[in-house]
């Protein structure tokens, strides 16, 4: 029975729980008993014990829940409530200006306690370089192996902390759109933790190069990633010097970051951009001694360095425009010119539309977003606004297959609905199993944004296994991170108020039929998380 | 109640998936084909060693493999006056070569000059002409599979990988499952049926039911493996174990298979007769030998091609490794091929013959080489051949 959700009384929930949801008697009783405390608690927080919600809330139609799912890492009661109170437009405005949001206190404390939250990457990089140097000088043997292991363990721990912070925020932050955008841009400007010393840097890369700019102007993102030692090492620009050209970063900057394949640049442009980028690199050691005329062009900030002695000052032509040799200013000019190309507006808009709207986004939508991009000097927030409030976006709702990160995070958000998890290892294991670990994409193209990359037969059965791991137990999500002892037992109750308000009314008959055939709550949970409705948004 | 009758009871939804037809009927006799993709660009010059080239030894002061010495049964195995096989695969691939079950195609590869792993792997798997735009939903194994079975009939292709490779893009739904770490199937018959039925009529219906069924099928096959292992006490592991499992599935159910193996990107500390590359090659060689023996009589009906996206620089680099190159050596294996030979267009290896003064040139285009093998294996018509590899006339290497 589709619910008309304009009133939220306990009564109709009772009717649904007992009346027609479950086949087997025992399950019906189990659900009934579970549901009542959930409802009371849900109402009590808002109404001081009253069982009637205080303010009249908007009904959640199918489009509302799908829209909310798309612009977040999945539904939880808090996001549904916020959407119902604010309405779509104001909800979106808040999400696009997330400054006022705060993480739940225990999560915030957890994150503050992480070593990675107090990173000084240039110091870390200097340390790790020195340690590797010392290691290489050691004689082979047990001592060397031990030192190597200690160094590796530390790198792994720091990268894991960055992942842990990332996942805790994705699951718990009320600034859900911001968290999705962090994922999107980290994937767009992808780096791989196992290259060079990147495990020491990925946390800082996310925190300082990506996160502050997710709703800003696109150029800021390009410049911030361009000046971060993680990107410079990942794509080898730290090796790029006059007379020893390394084109790797220049190529990907055009192909993957800004213009896209077929974006109107040539192999010659790649070579010219590589020359522009000479001298842009990483230094955590001594400042080089330079002649005075070069010295004034020398730049250093943290581990980032522009060394004019390594720069090619010759005249260049990029995308048909002359670039005069003047040092790092060339890089800023070149990036400005690149991001102002219509091809860049189209490419970035299309990538955003693929991730949020549809695998084959409607050309009219991409065009409108590109226009916004060009009129606003690449204002990402404005581009997103034009997408999320468009008719094409509404028309595409329900057809986007969740990539593994969206799938896993949305399942946890739905299953635990605001209850903070303490252990993120199971999430990382699932993401590994589904092939989408954070900072785990080896190639610079980032993970696929479309269903094609994630819905093979093997991946679907893997997804169902994870549905079962989440639905049939607590999967260790409440264990201590490092301890062996389990802190919690049991399994989540997915058939609660959130389910009845925002999921159940929109389930297909086949899915309801499957749920009715469940023999236990765990199995019911597993089927729900395996349903097409849970994999598509 | 048996599994089969359970499935029948599942009703029209299940039957219409064509599951039972595919799963329980072994493919009619016919050739089998396995593609082994070495991801990372393996160093073919330290596998098939051009030992008559003094330039090889000049180019690799630290990592060259010593010339074969007929006085010893160890070290490199001379295959003819110019080429020798790396010591690491002497026992496995070497002995198969002597039985004429292996041939090599040096100077093989693609037109792709990006020297980028992902770019070149993609372009090989798609198998499309390099001019014109790419269709990422059409891989050459997908086209082959469709050519052999027709779009309406259940296909019998499988990828032994976690994600479906681009090579199988397009065409019918191809099941995929890595055989590396097999657990118990997570769902029983009833649960699997309920899950499948939730997707009835959905475009993922086939993927969902194939995936769930494959897990069961593999579990049944592997129950046999465990019994066998207990009896013979053979402790296979790593790629050998995977190869044995692949053989079991391809013997009974599948005709076209794909597997990829990583770990070939030897920029640093590659090693020579022993070392990183040698141990990877040794494991690969042993695995392929296990694959051939596990197939039993069907080995004579099977063709395996081992390839990699590109070769590596002919000269060693400053880190006793090699960098991304161009031409490479493809392997062709099969129980009834006219092997024991080194085939295709060849060139003497001197500095002048290197491509861009650094790499093996490509004289044998991979599309023509594979297209020729496919044509002989399945007697394909010119129209079928050109559907699989457009604008690449098949070349007959006289192996099949």
């Amino acid at each position: 029975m589709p619910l008309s959700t304009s009133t939220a009384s306990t009564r109709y929930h009772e009717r649904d729980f007992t009346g027609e949801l479950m086949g087997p008697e025992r399950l019906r009783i189990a659900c009934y008993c579970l549901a009542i405390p959930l409802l009371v608690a849900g109402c009590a927080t808002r109404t001081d014990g009253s069982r009637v919600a205080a303010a009249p809330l908007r009904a959640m139609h199918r489009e509302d829940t799908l829209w909310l799912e798309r612009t977040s890492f999945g539904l939880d009661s808090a996001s549904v409530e916020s959407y119902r109170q604010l309405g779509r437009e104001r909800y979106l405005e808040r999400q696009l200006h997330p400054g006022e949001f705060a993480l739940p206190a225990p999560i915030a404390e957890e994150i503050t306690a992480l070593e990675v939250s107090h990173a000084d990457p240039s110091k870390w990089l200097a340390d790790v370089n020195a340690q590797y140097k010392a290691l290489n000088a050691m004689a082979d043997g047990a001592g060397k192996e031990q030192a190597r292991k200690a160094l590796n363990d530390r790198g792994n721990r720091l990268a894991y902390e960055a992942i842990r912070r990332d996942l805790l925020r994705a699951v718990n932050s009320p600034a859900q759109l911001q968290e999705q955008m962090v994922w999107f841009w980290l994937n767009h400007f992808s780096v791989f933790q196992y290259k060079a010393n990147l495990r020491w840097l990925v946390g800082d890369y996310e925190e300082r190069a990506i996160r502050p700019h997710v709703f800003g102007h696109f150029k800021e993102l390009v410049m911030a990633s361009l000046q971060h030692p993680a990107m410079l090492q990942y794509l080898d620009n730290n090796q790029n010097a006059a007379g020893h050209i390394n084109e790797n970063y220049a190529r990907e900057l055009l192909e993957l970051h800004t213009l896209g394949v077929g974006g109107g640049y040539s192999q010659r442009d790649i070579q010219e951009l590589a020359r522009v980028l000479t001298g842009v690199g990483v230094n955590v050691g001594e400042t080089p001694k330079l002649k005075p005329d070069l010295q004034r062009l020398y730049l250093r900030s943290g581990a980032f360095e522009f060394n004019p002695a390594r720069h090619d000052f010759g005249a260049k032509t990029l995308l048909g425009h002359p670039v005069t040799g003047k040092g790092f200013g060339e890089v800023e000019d070149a990036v400005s010119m690149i991001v102002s190309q219509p091809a860049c507006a189209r490419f970035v808009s299309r990538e955003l539309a693929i991730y949020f709207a549809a695998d084959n986004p409607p050309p009219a939508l991409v065009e409108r977003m590109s226009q916004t991009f060009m009129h606003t000097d690449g204002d990402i927030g404005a581009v997103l606004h034009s997408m999320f409030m468009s008719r094409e976006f509404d028309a595409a709702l329900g057809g986007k297959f969740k990539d593994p990160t969206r799938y896993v995070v949305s399942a946890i958000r739905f299953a635990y609905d605001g209850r903070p998890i303490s252990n993120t290892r199971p999430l990382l294991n699932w993401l590994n199993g589904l092939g989408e670990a954070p900072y785990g994409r080896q190639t610079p193209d980032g993970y696929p944004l479309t269903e094609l990359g994630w819905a093979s037969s093997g991946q679907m059965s893997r997804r169902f296994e994870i549905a079962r791991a989440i639905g049939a137990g607590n999967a260790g999500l409440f264990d201590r991170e490092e301890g062996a002892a389990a802190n919690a037992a049991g399994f989540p109750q997915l058939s609660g108020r959130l389910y009845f308000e925002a999921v159940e009314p929109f389930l297909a008959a086949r899915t309801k039929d499957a749920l009715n055939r469940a023999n236990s709550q765990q199995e019911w949970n597993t089927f729900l998380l395996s349903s097409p409705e849970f994999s598509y948004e | 109640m048996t599994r089969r009758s359970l499935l029948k009871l599942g009703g029209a939804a299940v039957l219409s998936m064509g599951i039972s037809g595919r799963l329980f009927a072994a493919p009619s006799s016919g050739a089998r084909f396995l593609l082994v993709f070495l991801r990372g660009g393996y160093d073919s010059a330290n596998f098939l060693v051009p030992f008559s080239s003094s330039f090889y030894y000049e180019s690799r002061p630290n990592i060259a493999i010593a010339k074969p010495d007929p006085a010893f049964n160890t070290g490199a195995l001379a295959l003819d006056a110019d080429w020798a096989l790396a010591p690491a695969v002497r026992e496995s691939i070497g002995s198969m070569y002597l039985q004429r079950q292996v041939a090599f195609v040096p100077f093989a590869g693609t037109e792709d000059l990006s020297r980028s792993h992902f770019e070149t792997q993609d372009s090989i798997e798609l198998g499309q002409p390099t001019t014109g735009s790419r269709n990422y939903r059409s891989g050459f194994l997908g086209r082959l599979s469709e050519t052999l079975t027709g779009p309406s009939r259940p296909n019998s292709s499988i990828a032994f990988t976690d994600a479906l490779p681009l090579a199988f893009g397009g065409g019918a739904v191809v099941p995929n499952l890595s055989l590396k770490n097999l657990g118990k199937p997570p769902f029983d018959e009833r649960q699997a049926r309920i899950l499948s039925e939730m997707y009835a009529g959905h475009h993922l219906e086939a993927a969902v039911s194939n995936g769930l069924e494959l897990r069961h099928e593999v579990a049944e096959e592997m129950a046999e493996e465990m019994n066998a292992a207990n009896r013979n006490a053979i402790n296979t592991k790593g790629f050998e174990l995977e190869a044995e499992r692949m053989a079991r599935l391809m013997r009974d159910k599948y005709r076209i298979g794909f597997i990829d193996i990583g770990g070939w990107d030897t920029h640093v500390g590659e090693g020579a007769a022993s070392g990183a590359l040698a141990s990877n090659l040794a494991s690969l060689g042993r695995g392929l030998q296990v694959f051939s023996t596990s197939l039993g009589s069907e080995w004579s009906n099977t063709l395996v091609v081992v390839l990699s996206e590109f070769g590596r620089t002919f000269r060693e680099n400053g880190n006793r490794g090699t960098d991304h190159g161009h031409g490479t050596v493809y392997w062709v294996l099969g129980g009834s091929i006219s092997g024991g030979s080194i085939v295709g267009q060849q060139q003497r290896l001197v500095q002048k013959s290197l491509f861009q003064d650094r790499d093996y040139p490509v004289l044998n285009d991979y599309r023509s080489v594979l297209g020729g093998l496919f044509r002989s294996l399945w007697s394909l018509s010119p129209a079928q051949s050109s559907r699989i590899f457009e604008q690449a006339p098949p070349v007959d290497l006289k192996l099949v």
Side-chain angles (χ1 to χ4, degrees):
Chain A
M1 182 191 83
L3 296 178
S4 62
T5 50
S6 54
T7 56
S9 76
T10 310
R11 264 185 80 189
Y12 74 62
H13 285 283
E14 283 178 9
R15 194 173 69 236
D16 271 85
F17 273 110
T18 54
E20 54 177 77
L21 173 67
M22 300 295 163
E25 187 71 17
R26 63 178 184 284
L27 181 58
R28 194 154 64 218
I29 293 163
C31 287
Y32 180 79
C33 297
L34 282 162
I36 299 309
L38 264 173
L39 281 168
V40 172
C43 294
T45 51
R46 290 194 307 274
T47 60
D48 287 330
S50 159
R51 292 201 173 193
V52 181
L57 295 173
R58 288 167 180 82
M60 290 296 277
H61 297 291
R62 179 171 176 273
E63 289 67 31
D64 295 308
T65 59
L66 289 169
W67 188 94
L68 185 56
E69 278 191 275
R70 282 280 183 94
T71 57
S72 68
F73 270 122
L75 303 179
D76 66 359
S77 293
S79 63
V80 170
E81 188 181 317
S82 165
Y83 181 90
R84 291 174 79 172
Q85 283 177 348
L86 297 171
R88 188 176 294 186
E89 179 90 48
R90 283 175 58 215
Y91 174 89
L92 179 58
E93 281 305 320
R94 274 200 78 188
Q95 289 290 321
L96 288 172
H97 302 94
E100 60 201 276
F101 285 119
L103 283 166
I107 301 294
E109 283 163 24
E110 189 78 52
I111 287 175
T112 309
L114 295 172
E115 189 182 358
V116 78
S117 299
H118 310 278
D120 182 351
S122 52
K123 184 181 173 305
W124 283 3
L125 208 51
D127 287 353
V128 71
N129 286 349
Q131 286 168 41
Y132 270 117
K133 208 170 161 187
L135 188 70
N136 287 334
M138 286 171 79
D140 287 347
K144 185 175 184 170
E145 277 318 300
Q146 213 170 10
R148 189 192 304 282
K149 185 172 179 307
L151 201 51
N152 261 326
D153 287 350
R154 179 165 163 75
N156 289 339
R157 197 181 74 241
L158 292 174
Y160 173 67
E161 282 196 0
I163 291 170
R164 175 169 167 71
R165 180 172 61 181
D166 186 65
L167 292 173
L168 285 173
R169 284 168 169 161
V171 170
N172 297 291
S173 172
Q176 281 286 296
L177 184 57
Q178 179 183 37
E179 295 310 317
Q180 278 210 300
M181 289 303 293
V182 168
W183 188 93
F184 176 86
W185 290 126
L186 270 179
N187 194 57
H188 186 87
F189 297 96
S190 188
V191 297
F192 177 57
Q193 63 159 311
Y194 293 108
K195 171 129 183 192
N197 300 327
L198 258 63
R199 284 172 293 168
W200 278 260
L201 297 172
V202 286
D204 187 71
Y205 180 66
E206 169 170 344
E207 208 61 7
R208 294 194 217 183
I210 302 296
R211 180 169 286 276
H213 309 293
V214 296
F215 297 126
H217 289 269
F218 181 66
K219 186 187 172 187
E220 297 164 18
L221 274 164
V222 177
M223 289 307 294
S225 57
L226 184 149
Q227 294 173 81
H228 199 281
M231 180 59 80
L232 292 170
Q233 292 190 93
Y234 175 56
L235 289 177
D236 303 323
N237 207 69
N238 55 334
Q239 318 270 346
N240 185 23
H244 301 275
I245 294 291
N246 188 312
E247 293 172 2
N248 202 6
Y249 180 48
R251 170 180 284 113
E252 308 308 4
L253 184 55
L254 293 174
E255 178 181 325
L256 300 175
H257 298 172
T258 58
L259 300 181
V261 176
Y265 60 92
S266 64
Q267 174 63 29
R268 173 93 188 148
D269 288 317
I270 295 173
Q271 290 163 336
E272 294 290 275
L273 181 59
R275 291 177 62 215
V276 169
L277 288 166
T278 46
V280 176
V282 176
N283 185 4
V284 288
E286 301 278 300
T287 301
K289 297 215 176 347
L290 302 169
K291 291 178 197 152
D293 57 330
L294 290 181
Q295 185 61 52
R296 64 187 171 79
L297 295 173
Y298 181 83
L299 293 174
R300 184 152 174 188
S301 164
F304 162 79
E305 173 189 66
F306 174 74
N307 182 351
R310 291 166 60 84
H311 184 69
D312 177 346
F313 281 88
K316 301 142 194 125
T317 305
L318 183 63
L319 300 168
H321 299 273
V323 179
T324 346
K326 59 180 178 187
F328 192 71
E330 288 172 47
V331 177
E332 287 170 328
D333 291 353
V335 169
S336 292
M337 192 220 300
I338 292 165
V339 301
S340 65
Q341 303 286 310
C344 180
R346 269 198 301 275
F347 176 66
V348 174
S349 297
R350 194 175 140 77
E351 292 288 296
L352 284 165
I354 290 173
Y355 182 62
F356 284 107
D359 288 3
N360 284 304
L365 174 62
V366 176
E367 181 56 30
R368 188 155 346 104
M369 293 165 68
S370 311
Q371 291 298 329
T372 308
F373 188 106
M374 285 187 280
H375 294 148
T376 60
D377 198 17
D379 182 332
I380 302 302
V383 173
L384 288 175
H385 190 275
S386 68
M387 169 168 59
F388 291 136
M389 296 309 286
S390 73
R391 212 174 306 145
E392 291 92 344
F393 188 77
D394 271 8
L397 290 172
K400 183 78 191 164
F401 187 77
K402 293 179 185 171
D403 66 276
T405 305
R406 277 173 162 155
Y407 179 77
V408 167
V409 175
S410 68
I412 297 301
R413 281 173 61 77
F414 186 74
Y416 292 103
D417 199 16
R419 177 179 171 196
I421 58 166
S422 52
N423 195 324
T424 44
R425 295 261 177 207
L427 272 79
L428 178 56
N429 291 341
W430 294 324
L431 291 174
N432 267 321
L434 290 168
E436 204 181 30
Y439 315 116
R441 179 73 170 183
Q442 191 163 7
T443 51
D445 50 349
Y447 290 112
L449 299 178
T450 64
E451 180 176 323
L452 191 61
W454 306 115
S456 74
S457 59
Q459 288 162 319
M460 288 309 290
S461 16
R462 188 70 65 89
R463 183 170 289 219
F464 299 156
E465 286 172 46
I466 289 163
R468 193 173 83 154
I470 296 171
N474 65 66
L477 290 161
F478 302 96
D479 294 356
R480 297 168 62 86
E481 272 280 323
E482 309 297 340
N487 280 355
F491 49 88
Q493 306 296 342
L494 269 58
S495 51
R497 178 195 170 109
L498 179 60
Y499 166 74
F500 284 103
E501 285 186 358
V503 178
E504 195 269 350
F506 315 119
L507 291 179
R510 286 187 192 286
T511 301
K512 287 185 180 172
D513 181 51
L515 295 175
N516 280 332
R517 289 152 76 190
N519 280 345
S520 65
Q521 178 71 46
Q522 293 100 310
E523 200 173 275
W524 189 95
N525 291 346
T526 305
F527 291 163
L528 181 66
L529 296 177
S530 303
S531 67
E533 289 88 340
F534 205 85
S535 270
Y536 284 86
E537 57 186 24
Chain B
M1 187 177 276
T2 66
R3 183 157 169 273
R4 189 193 300 246
S5 60
L6 259 177
L7 276 173
K8 278 186 181 150
L9 283 174
V14 170
L15 290 180
S16 71
M17 295 170 200
I19 293 179
S20 43
R22 182 176 65 73
L23 287 177
F24 297 102
S28 57
S29 69
R32 284 163 180 69
F33 175 73
L34 174 70
L35 184 72
V36 180
F37 203 126
L38 308 183
R39 295 198 192 271
Y42 90 106
D43 182 20
S44 57
N46 268 12
F47 166 71
L48 187 66
V49 182
F51 73 89
S52 66
S53 160
S54 57
F55 180 54
Y56 169 78
Y57 291 96
E58 290 158 25
S59 301
R60 299 187 169 212
N62 298 297
I63 64 166
I65 288 180
K67 283 178 198 281
D69 184 340
F72 294 99
N73 287 332
T74 57
L77 174 69
L79 304 182
D80 64 15
D82 296 313
W83 301 99
L85 203 55
V89 290
R90 183 184 175 113
E91 296 298 323
S92 54
I93 303 300
S95 65
M96 290 170 79
Y97 186 92
L98 298 176
Q99 297 166 53
R100 296 171 46 93
Q101 295 185 357
V102 180
F104 298 110
V105 191
F107 308 108
T110 77
E111 299 166 14
D112 190 304
L113 281 178
S114 64
R115 291 194 178 85
S116 140
H117 294 298
F118 64 103
E119 172 78 16
T120 317
Q121 289 174 14
D122 284 2
S123 100
I124 290 180
E125 289 189 60
L126 297 174
Q128 297 162 15
T130 46
T131 51
S133 68
R134 283 181 181 180
N135 175 1
Y136 275 88
R137 285 176 182 264
S138 179
F140 77 83
L141 288 181
R143 296 193 296 274
L144 171 67
S145 165
E146 212 169 59
T147 301
L148 295 178
T149 59
S152 59
R153 285 157 54 194
N155 75 81
S156 60
S157 300
I158 184 167
F160 303 106
T161 51
D162 281 325
L164 194 66
L166 275 185
F168 271 126
V173 171
V174 171
N176 67 298
L177 177 70
S178 165
L179 301 176
K180 253 178 233 155
N181 308 300
L182 287 176
K184 227 178 89 202
F187 299 107
D188 63 24
E189 296 292 348
R190 185 188 61 85
Q191 292 169 322
R193 194 173 61 233
I194 294 174
L195 288 169
S196 289
E197 285 174 9
M198 259 199 305
Y199 283 83
H202 193 279
H203 71 272
L204 290 183
E205 173 181 347
V208 165
S209 53
N210 282 357
L212 291 165
E213 283 304 316
L214 184 60
R215 288 297 307 266
H216 280 279
E217 182 179 285
V218 167
E220 281 178 5
E221 289 282 347
M222 300 318 151
E224 199 185 323
E225 170 190 291
M226 290 179 65
N227 292 335
N230 290 342
R231 273 201 307 278
N232 310 336
I234 295 171
N235 180 21
T236 45
K237 53 181 186 201
F239 182 61
E240 283 166 79
L241 179 58
E242 253 182 296
E244 194 187 329
R245 291 168 169 174
M246 286 195 297
R248 208 181 280 279
L249 286 173
M250 288 196 71
R251 186 191 63 199
D252 295 345
K253 313 257 156 97
Y254 296 99
R255 275 207 241 163
I256 301 171
F258 175 98
I259 179 141
D260 51 16
I261 303 169
W264 305 97
D265 198 15
T266 48
H267 287 283
V268 180
E270 172 175 320
S274 63
L277 175 65
S279 48
N280 271 352
L281 284 172
S283 149
L284 173 62
R286 283 195 307 269
L288 289 172
Q289 199 173 26
V290 166
F291 183 76
S292 73
T293 52
S294 305
L295 271 171
S297 59
E298 284 303 326
W299 175 235
S300 63
N301 224 350
T302 302
L303 192 75
V304 177
V305 170
V306 179
L307 54 75
S308 194
E309 66 264 33
F310 42 60
R312 305 191 73 83
T313 48
F314 195 68
R315 298 179 183 87
E316 71 179 53
N317 64 20
N319 301 315
R320 302 196 172 196
T322 47
D323 296 320
H324 301 183
H326 189 44
T328 179
V329 177
Y330 285 12
W331 322 2
V332 182
L333 305 88
S336 58
I337 67 166
S338 316
S341 51
I342 291 155
V343 297
Q345 300 293 314
Q346 294 180 41
Q347 216 170 54
R348 283 211 71 75
L349 274 172
V350 291
Q351 181 175 351
K352 240 176 54 197
S353 57
L354 290 189
F355 176 71
Q356 297 180 345
D357 192 30
R358 56 179 269 160
D359 308 326
Y360 272 19
V362 170
L363 308 175
N364 302 291
D365 178 74
Y366 79 106
R367 302 200 310 142
S368 296
V369 168
L370 290 170
L373 292 169
F374 295 164
R375 183 179 61 182
S376 312
L377 208 55
W378 286 291
S379 312
L380 301 181
S381 70
Q384 289 175 319
S385 288
S386 84
R387 198 168 155 260
I388 298 165
F389 290 118
E390 197 191 331
Q391 296 168 33
V395 168
D396 189 1
L397 297 174
K398 306 254 187 296
L399 294 173
V400 181

